[in-house]
Amino acid sequence: MSEIDNDTYNRGAIEFSTPVQFLKGVGPARAEVFAGLGVHTAENLLDYFPRDWVFVPPPVKIVQLKAGEEATVIGLVESTDYQSFRRPPLFEVMLADDTDVCRIVWFHGGYLRNQIQPGQAILASGKVNLYKHQLQLTNPKFIIVDKDSPNPGEAISGAVYPAAASLTSARIKQIIRPVLEKIDTLVCEIYDKSFLKKNGLVSRMDAYRWIHQPPDEEKLAQAKRRLKYDEFFLMQLGLALRRYRNRHCCGSVKIRTGEEIDRRIRKRFPFLLTEDQESVIKEITADMCGDEPMNRLLQGDVGSGKTVVALYAALLAVANKKQATIMAPTEILASQHFLSIERYLKDSDVKRLLITGGLSGKKRKEVLEQIKSGQIDIVVGTVALLQKDIEFERLGLVIIDEQHKFGVEQRWQLRKEASPHCLVMTATPIPRTLAMTVFGDLDVSVIRHCPPGRGEVITRLVDAADRPKAYEFIRQRLVAKRQAYFVYPRITADASPSAELAAATDEWKRLSKKIFPEFSVELLHGQMPLEKKQKIMTDFRKGKIDVLVSTVVIEVGIDVPNATIMVIENAERFGLAQLHQLRGRIGRGQAKSYCLLFAALDKSGDNETASSRLDCLNRTNDGFEIAEFDLRLRGPGEIFSTRQHGLPDLKIANIIDDYELLVLARRDAFAMVETDPMLVKAEHKNIRRVLVARFGDSLGLVDIA
Ligand code: ADP
Ligand code: MG
């Protein structure tokens, strides 16, 4: 890459930074259209990839035409004839070159009468066939060409750009041509020969040339592969560097373990740990006892036993006289965590504390003082509260639950000052593709299997007509002392005309008065005061409440094994991952559980995906399978934007379709950082330059450059 030329922009000297407006064929008006497409400079233009590519074979002489082949010919129009009496009507052209004459027909070609006239030269490309012993082209693509044009085939073949307003695809092709002519001076190779060979990659210059002007499909495929690889590689390199920096920028809080500590912690759990829990605890222990701060993502479906693992880690920190904090996205989840920790830590000396938003004034000051002076071992609260103004005396471990809910940015905020170990937990299974990108700088642990003795969960999409039957079915379970959740997409009905969504408040009245008057039916939603929420949760846990009517506040964290029924209304309004989360609230005990989905499905396109989502839930309980399916259904862009996560946007690569290339690039990038963590080796000079140009300081790379 060349430096910005501070002199006037000379049309002959195109550089990466040359504004598109200074390219031939672009004035202020087109420059504005380009700006709307995100194209400001020559470099942007090179990265403005075609959306499609058309291949027409090189022109041949008419005498060379053979029936059955695809061919392109150029010739003079001798005559035209519109035969409207034919069925279908057709437009006929006799085309001649210096070797022969052939017939071209376009069915329904009446509109061509105004376009094609005798005496013109045209280029036509299509399938050659035999008609009454004569060779002819049927419905070919065509363009009218300038008789002296040096390369008339070019206009019809090659790249097709996403066009806008006055910027047609053909125009963009013209504008980019001089830039491509300079490609060897603009683009530099970033890998050495052996690397290219090993990965079967063409040069970066060829890749850019061929993506815009592909000589054939084979070369186009090579160009795509190279450019996709580069996008993945640079992204992964950024992640690998970020990971390296996180591990090496600061020393870790020293943690040690031993048989005695391990035994004392395990004594807290009234069950044997599952195989998955054991292996994750092993990984976490190894991390925490290492020289580098832990930076690990723990994934496990709802109910898989993550809390136990988190508590193990927290107690390991506490055993080393360090403090631990557990952060949840909401107060209700924080208090859930606190409650389950309380259960395990009954009669223990470990000082634990729940910080709530309600805490204020003198009491709050006191509590903060206790944390600061190190009197509290484990602090539980929301991310918002804990990130605000709380100081620890000797923080050794930060556990963040449900990370995806508050974005990765906050993670870095938290981590900046931090040498404590960090464990991020999520109950939303992250598809492998996202685990490698958005979370690609973390080490990943997975709990795949739930603790034993869980009852089966049966999921059914219930027809509106069968609603009374469903209520009856639920009644029988309630009579048998089971409990049920009813979940609604919103709290209260609003006045909007599309207000066909059931609302929790209204439905709560209906259910408690009309449907289940003999049972205790309570309402729970996010806007209630915390104390009230907690009281209802506790009563539900104790079995004093039979039916809990709620919004998605119960999505995560609630653990009531006796609740075996989950009714979800307007299920078409919920995302797949969310539905799966909700369903995870049941099936926590040994009894069989039932998830009943009601959905307003008609035949519209929207509902097609809604119903395939619901089918997926019917089909499987495997959170990872569901997450992968969800990603496919919605496309990666819907779920996450790379830019939002401090990663550059992917322009040509797709994490789902190009998964194998992603794996390859990730392996190579991490290996490179392993051998040259600062990218200071001479052969990595260009890579580092490109990396800094792409990422800016979003990955903290500038300071290593
Ligand atoms: P998660 O946080 O992943 O949703 P939890 O840690 O809350 O899961 O565990 C869910 C339920 O399983 C809890 O009731 C917990 O007591 C129980 N549990 C966890 N680990 C085990 C185990 N190894 N054996 C039996 N029950 C377990
Ligand atoms: Mg949990």
Side-chain angles (χ1 to χ4, degrees):
M1 263 159 300
S2 22
E3 298 298 320
I4 294 175
D5 182 0
N6 282 326
D7 299 329
T8 49
Y9 288 105
N10 163 348
R11 278 179 196 270
I14 296 168
E15 315 211 325
F16 256 177
S17 55
T18 305
V20 275
Q21 190 176 334
F22 295 106
L23 297 174
K24 191 152 179 282
V26 188
R30 287 211 177 105
E32 205 157 298
V33 183
F34 265 129
L37 300 171
V39 176
H40 306 280
T41 62
E43 179 180 19
N44 299 154
L45 189 59
L46 282 174
D47 283 325
Y48 190 70
F49 297 128
R51 64 168 167 78
D52 198 7
W53 296 266
V54 175
F55 291 94
V56 303
V60 293
K61 293 295 181 187
I62 291 174
V63 74
Q64 295 172 294
L65 291 180
K66 286 198 192 77
E69 288 184 353
E70 294 282 334
T72 305
V73 289
I74 301 173
L76 284 179
V77 176
E78 284 203 325
S79 64
T80 65
D81 185 19
Y82 180 53
Q83 300 168 8
S84 59
F85 54 89
R86 297 278 196 108
R87 287 293 163 265
L90 59 86
F91 185 70
E92 183 191 83
V93 164
M94 296 308 291
L95 191 76
D97 67 7
D98 50 5
T99 65
D100 206 348
V101 179
C102 75
R103 184 171 176 259
I104 305 178
V105 297
W106 285 274
F107 293 114
H108 301 285
Y111 64 98
L112 294 170
R113 280 174 293 178
N114 300 327
Q115 296 183 31
I116 302 179
Q117 260 105 45
Q120 284 174 330
I122 67 170
L123 172 146
S125 186
K127 185 90 179 247
V128 183
N129 54 324
L130 259 179
Y131 179 75
K132 293 189 176 162
H133 309 292
Q134 231 190 326
L135 290 174
Q136 75 169 30
L137 285 169
T138 309
N139 296 330
K141 293 182 201 131
F142 81 97
I143 45 166
I144 294 160
V145 297
D146 176 350
K147 276 169 235 175
D148 311 316
S149 160
N151 193 1
E154 204 173 76
I156 203 170
S157 64
V160 181
Y161 291 91
S166 62
L167 273 177
T168 59
S169 174
R171 179 70 64 185
I172 295 173
K173 259 157 101 170
Q174 271 176 12
I175 295 167
I176 200 171
R177 189 175 305 140
V179 183
L180 290 172
E181 276 160 16
K182 290 273 154 59
I183 200 80
D184 290 325
T185 62
L186 287 171
V187 172
C188 61
E189 185 48 74
I190 57 177
Y191 311 131
D192 57 39
K193 285 220 171 64
S194 63
F195 190 95
L196 290 176
K197 186 144 181 251
K198 179 180 69 114
N199 285 322
L201 296 170
V202 298
S203 80
R204 208 165 145 78
M205 291 69 99
D206 281 342
Y208 272 104
R209 228 185 320 263
W210 296 343
I211 202 79
H212 292 288
Q213 294 176 342
D216 56 49
E217 303 204 41
E218 167 72 30
K219 291 203 162 52
L220 172 63
Q222 289 174 338
K224 281 188 190 167
R225 187 164 180 278
R226 168 68 204 254
L227 293 170
K228 287 175 176 181
Y229 179 90
D230 282 9
E231 278 193 344
F232 282 146
F233 183 83
L234 293 172
M235 169 201 256
Q236 291 299 324
L237 203 55
L239 289 165
L241 289 167
R242 188 147 83 179
R243 178 172 181 274
Y244 186 89
R245 283 165 50 88
N246 273 327
R247 292 166 71 98
H248 296 276
C249 66
C250 42
S252 65
V253 175
K254 294 283 167 292
I255 300 287
R256 285 154 38 121
T257 188
E259 262 174 48
E260 175 57 16
I261 292 179
D262 181 63
R263 198 184 54 75
R264 264 173 29 219
I265 297 177
R266 281 169 193 271
K267 236 176 44 194
R268 291 278 142 211
F269 305 127
F271 36 65
L272 282 177
L273 299 183
T274 64
E275 219 172 284
D276 284 354
Q277 284 170 324
E278 289 290 359
S279 66
V280 171
I281 284 176
K282 213 182 209 168
E283 289 169 331
I284 290 175
T285 305
D287 281 359
M288 289 175 68
C289 295
D291 295 332
E292 299 147 3
M294 169 165 73
N295 216 352
R296 186 171 285 278
L297 173 69
L298 170 57
Q299 297 189 60
D301 226 334
V302 276
S304 60
K306 292 182 301 298
T307 309
V308 170
V309 171
L311 185 59
Y312 185 105
L315 292 176
L316 182 57
V318 173
N320 281 267
K321 309 241 175 320
K322 299 288 184 288
Q323 291 168 293
T325 176
I326 302 178
M327 305 184 184
T330 64
E331 293 227 336
I332 196 157
L333 287 178
S335 79
Q336 280 295 310
H337 272 303
F338 190 70
L339 281 178
S340 44
I341 288 175
E342 283 296 280
R343 268 187 293 161
Y344 293 117
L345 295 186
K346 225 163 140 207
D347 316 318
S348 134
D349 295 336
V350 174
K351 301 275 185 310
R352 60 270 179 193
L353 176 91
L354 174 69
I355 292 217
T356 68
L359 195 65
S360 59
K362 201 166 145 236
K363 186 86 208 304
R364 178 178 163 84
K365 236 176 126 189
E366 243 173 62
V367 162
L368 294 191
E369 196 47 50
Q370 284 177 340
I371 297 172
K372 195 175 171 186
S373 62
Q375 294 167 55
I376 312 280
D377 300 307
I378 300 178
V379 182
V380 183
T382 62
V383 177
L385 283 176
L386 287 168
Q387 282 188 343
K388 222 163 71 188
D389 54 356
I390 296 186
E391 278 179 67
F392 291 84
E393 195 213 9
R394 47 201 160 80
L395 186 59
L397 173 68
V398 176
I399 297 170
I400 311 177
D401 193 21
E402 290 305 320
Q403 175 68 44
H404 66 288
K405 287 272 162 66
F406 36 88
V408 178
E409 272 324 297
Q410 270 164 299
R411 188 170 92 216
W412 303 115
Q413 223 175 17
L414 182 93
R415 298 257 330 135
K416 250 173 209 152
E417 65 195 71
S419 50
H421 300 283
C422 181
L423 180 66
V424 175
M425 299 199 292
T426 177
T428 306
I430 297 170
R432 53 192 185 159
T433 38
L434 293 191
M436 280 194 190
T437 48
V438 173
F439 293 97
D441 51 346
L442 302 180
D443 296 311
V444 177
S445 292
V446 181
I447 301 184
R448 223 162 255 285
H449 305 286
C450 288
R454 296 282 167 86
E456 192 188 352
V457 178
I458 294 169
T459 305
R460 287 287 169 268
L461 185 58
V462 185
D463 238 40
D466 289 335
R467 191 176 278 277
K469 270 197 234 162
Y471 288 155
E472 204 37 52
F473 177 85
I474 295 165
R475 185 187 316 282
Q476 287 166 19
R477 303 271 159 337
L478 295 177
V479 167
K481 289 277 160 252
R482 296 292 175 194
Q483 290 160 284
Y485 298 101
F486 277 68
V487 179
Y488 297 87
R490 53 190 193 145
I491 302 173
T492 48
D494 55 38
S496 76
S498 66
E500 278 156 25
L501 296 184
T505 314
D506 301 341
E507 287 292 297
W508 164 59
K509 287 179 197 145
R510 193 175 69 88
L511 290 171
S512 58
K513 295 209 176 90
K514 301 229 169 80
I515 314 288
F516 301 118
E518 70 271 45
F519 297 104
S520 156
V521 182
E522 287 293 342
L523 177 68
L524 176 78
H525 61 72
Q527 291 175 12
M528 289 176 162
L530 184 67
E531 280 82 77
K532 183 147 185 220
K533 279 192 281 196
Q534 269 167 348
K535 165 123 180 44
I536 289 174
M537 293 291 314
T538 315
D539 286 352
F540 188 66
R541 192 197 284 271
K542 286 183 182 156
K544 287 191 203 162
I545 295 171
D546 301 301
V547 177
L548 190 65
V549 178
S550 131
T551 58
V552 289
V553 291
I554 59 149
E555 191 182 328
V556 271
I558 292 181
D559 185 14
V560 180
N562 191 49
T564 58
I565 307 251
M566 163 78 54
V567 175
I568 303 174
E569 298 279 354
N570 288 114
E572 79 284 357
R573 294 304 175 113
F574 295 97
L576 197 45
Q578 206 173 19
L579 288 169
H580 178 63
Q581 287 269 359
L582 284 167
R583 178 169 64 177
R585 298 298 103 210
I586 54 171
R588 305 204 124 204
Q590 286 170 11
K592 214 180 210 180
S593 292
Y594 299 87
C595 178
L596 305 180
L597 307 171
F598 289 95
L601 293 175
D602 52 38
K603 297 271 175 291
S604 78
D606 268 7
N607 275 327
E608 208 168 293
T609 44
S611 79
S612 65
R613 280 204 302 265
L614 301 180
D615 282 348
C616 172
L617 282 182
N618 263 330
R619 199 170 57 230
T620 178
N621 267 322
D622 180 332
F624 286 93
E625 197 180 314
I626 291 169
E628 203 76 40
F629 183 81
D630 200 22
L631 190 63
R632 256 168 214 289
L633 212 59
R634 299 203 279 170
E638 272 266 324
I639 291 188
F640 82 111
S641 133
T642 43
R643 185 167 287 169
Q644 186 189 323
H645 290 94
L647 304 173
D649 272 344
L650 295 172
K651 289 195 163 66
I652 186 164
N654 176 307
I655 60 171
I656 299 171
D657 300 341
D658 306 314
Y659 178 71
E660 264 138 58
L661 212 50
L662 168 61
V663 173
L664 182 68
R666 180 171 171 84
R667 197 196 59 200
D668 291 342
F670 276 71
M672 184 172 286
V673 170
E674 197 69 30
T675 58
D676 183 14
M678 293 292 156
L679 298 183
V680 290
K681 288 189 182 162
E683 66 263 36
H684 297 151
K685 194 180 69 190
N686 285 344
I687 290 185
R688 196 171 67 183
R689 263 203 318 209
V690 172
L691 208 57
V692 171
R694 289 248 167 139
F695 286 66
D697 60 0
S698 72
L699 293 174
L701 286 168
V702 173
D703 45 335
I704 65 155

